Structures are given as C-alpha cells and as structure tokens.
Amino acid sequence: MSIPLNWYLILAAALFSIGLFGVLSRKNAIAILLGVELMLNAVNINLVAFWRYLDPVKMAGQVFAIIVFAVAAAEVAVGLALIISVYRRRRTVVADEIDLMKW
Amino acid sequence: MTADKIIFLLCAVLILASALMVVTTRKLIHAALWLVAALFGVAILYAVLQASFLAVVQVVVYIGAIAILFIFAVMLTRREMLDKGVQTRSNWWLPALLGLLILAGLVFLILGQPAFGRTAAEMPAGVDTLRNLGTALVSPDAFVLPFEVASVLLLAALVGAVYIASGKKE
C-alpha cells in the first residue's frame, strides 16, 4: 500500500468532474443519468479510500459506500421508470422537450 | 514504482478514458458499455484498497444490475433522435469550463493538504474486514438503523418503479 491517499482523491475529483460535464452537457435524459452514475462512483472511491487510509478497523466508510450503492440502485430504477413513462406518452427522451412544467 | 502503483495508474487511465467516452460518445448504447468498463475499473480499485466485499458488490450490483438496466432503457427508448445528430447541447463548452474549474479547485485543495500525502498503514493483524462489516451492518450500536432505512428505500423504489413504468391506463 505505497499509494499516497491524494492519488485516489485526485482520481475521484477527475471522475466527478467528468460526470458533472456529462450531466450538464447531454441532451438525452438517459445520458444524464449515466453522468450521475459516474459522480456517485467518484464519491464511493473517496469513501473507500478514506476508510482504508484513516480507520480500517471501524467500518463506517464501507457501510456508507453500501448505502450509496443502495441509493444509486433506487435512483436508477425510479429514474429510468420515469424516463420510460415519459417516452411512452411524449415519444421523446430529450430533456429539453420535456417542458410541460416549464414557464 | 511498485506494483500497486502501476496497477493504480493503469486503473486510473481505464476509468478516466472510459468515463470520457461515456460523456462524449454519440451512440448511447456505446456510452452504456463504456460505463461498464469504468465501473469495472472502480471495482479493481476497491480490490486494491482491500475492500473485497465492495469489489464484488460493485460487479454484481453496478455492472450486473444498473448497467444492464441502462442498456434495457436505451433499447426501449431508441427512436428518431438517438445515434443521429448532436448528442450534446450547443453550449457544451460551458459545462466543460465548469468541470475544469471544479477539477482545478479540488486538485488545488487536495494538494494543499499535507495530511493527504500519507500512505496507508498495513492492515492490523487479525482484522477480518468482511466479518467486521457484517457485524457492523446488523449490530444495534453500529449501523443497523441505516441498513434498515436502506432496505425500506429499496422496497419503496421497487414499488414506485413498477407503478410508474407499468403503462396501465386507469
């Protein structure tokens, strides 16, 4: 374990930035969710790295990462269900065209 | 350069290259497959960090369930727009600038903390992280409450997703 902690943190920061770029720049709602997944993974890398480097006996970091897994699974299931439902009614998955509640 | 550093750098290259492909590639189904590659790189990182259970869960839950769900959603919704035309907004440079700014700020902050330059201590002898994790998840003085809340959340998400996605006209 000769890797410095900040290598992990910088990798996670880069992954988070890429995911943020994807969320903000994509038109397709599914692609936006893909970006959210990348950001959640960046957070998980940080959590597990901090667990290993700071306190590997207590399991707080890993438990938090597992909670993030569960939340990510729930978010993807509901998000994709919403997108499919919208697609069925409006025949589009482009986020700009889903503008019923926009004024 | 020790072996684990080389493994880490290879993983980092795999993760970042795949992530860039996820956000830039034109075909959405390819983006979902590149996401699988990125998630696999993260699983290798968990293994390097000695979080064996999380590495397995990453492969089973993220790649086996979430990525497959994405691929199904792409196949269920592909029609006119997909795979043709521009997939990014016309002002895509603004998010790119924002991402670069946030990355620069984070790297500046991380490198400014000398405490983050530490390397990990050896895992204390006799510590079974898998057993500790299992005990922590169900022990009342540790994390049993978040664990139960997560299970209720998953149940709610399951029911909600089925209700939303079922196209039954009432």
Side-chain angles (χ1 to χ4, degrees):
Chain A
M1 296 299 292
S2 60
I3 307 168
L5 175 58
N6 47 22
W7 287 25
Y8 285 101
L9 302 184
I10 289 173
L11 171 68
L15 191 58
F16 184 87
S17 306
I18 293 173
L20 183 68
F21 168 71
V23 168
L24 293 179
S25 71
R26 286 286 206 161
K27 280 180 173 174
N28 192 308
I30 297 176
I32 293 175
L33 277 183
L34 288 173
V36 173
E37 287 310 303
L38 290 179
M39 293 161 80
L40 284 170
N41 264 278
V43 173
N44 260 354
I45 292 177
N46 266 355
L47 285 172
V48 179
F50 276 122
W51 162 77
R52 178 64 188 87
Y53 280 70
L54 299 185
D55 195 1
V57 177
K58 271 193 248 156
M59 304 305 289
Q62 278 208 35
V63 173
F64 206 151
I66 289 177
I67 302 291
V68 173
F69 274 126
V71 172
E75 167 249 330
V76 167
V78 176
L80 290 179
L82 279 173
I83 291 172
I84 288 174
S85 177
V86 166
Y87 177 75
R88 205 177 271 140
R89 285 156 204 245
R90 309 280 306 260
R91 292 280 128 187
T92 181
V93 287
V94 182
D96 279 339
E97 296 173 8
I98 306 168
D99 54 0
L100 194 65
M101 293 177 72
K102 202 165 152 189
W103 60 285
Chain B
M1 247 351 190
T2 51
D4 51 355
K5 276 188 181 173
I6 294 172
I7 294 175
F8 175 88
L9 289 179
L10 287 178
C11 265
V13 170
L14 169 71
I15 293 172
L16 292 184
S18 317
L20 277 175
M21 290 303 288
V22 170
V23 295
T24 55
T25 189
R26 182 158 293 188
K27 289 192 174 178
L28 209 51
I29 196 97
H30 290 180
L33 292 174
W34 280 111
L35 181 76
V36 171
L39 296 177
F40 199 76
V42 177
I44 301 174
L45 275 194
Y46 291 161
V48 172
L49 283 167
Q50 293 171 306
S52 50
F53 179 71
L54 283 186
V56 175
V57 169
Q58 172 88 4
V59 173
V60 172
V61 173
Y62 255 108
I63 299 178
I66 294 181
I68 300 302
L69 204 58
F70 269 114
I71 291 173
F72 269 108
V74 171
M75 290 193 297
L76 282 174
T77 58
R78 60 190 299 159
R79 186 68 56 93
E80 62 287 356
M81 171 211 174
L82 307 182
D83 302 350
K84 290 195 294 282
V86 202
Q87 292 283 316
T88 50
R89 303 170 159 280
S90 52
N91 55 354
W92 59 271
W93 53 271
L94 205 61
L97 191 67
L98 184 68
L100 282 178
L101 273 180
I102 287 181
L103 176 62
L106 281 175
V107 169
F108 177 74
L109 282 179
I110 291 167
L111 291 182
Q113 291 281 343
F116 287 164
R118 60 187 286 175
T119 53
E122 283 299 317
M123 195 65 99
V127 173
D128 186 350
T129 56
L130 200 53
R131 178 189 295 269
N132 281 355
L133 180 63
T135 319
L137 275 179
V138 292
S139 130
D141 47 1
F143 303 105
V144 71
L145 196 60
F147 184 66
E148 295 297 331
V149 170
S151 56
V152 173
L153 172 74
L154 280 176
L155 178 66
L158 177 72
V159 176
V162 169
Y163 177 73
I164 294 171
S166 77
K168 216 165 41 186
K169 297 272 190 296
E170 59 282 330

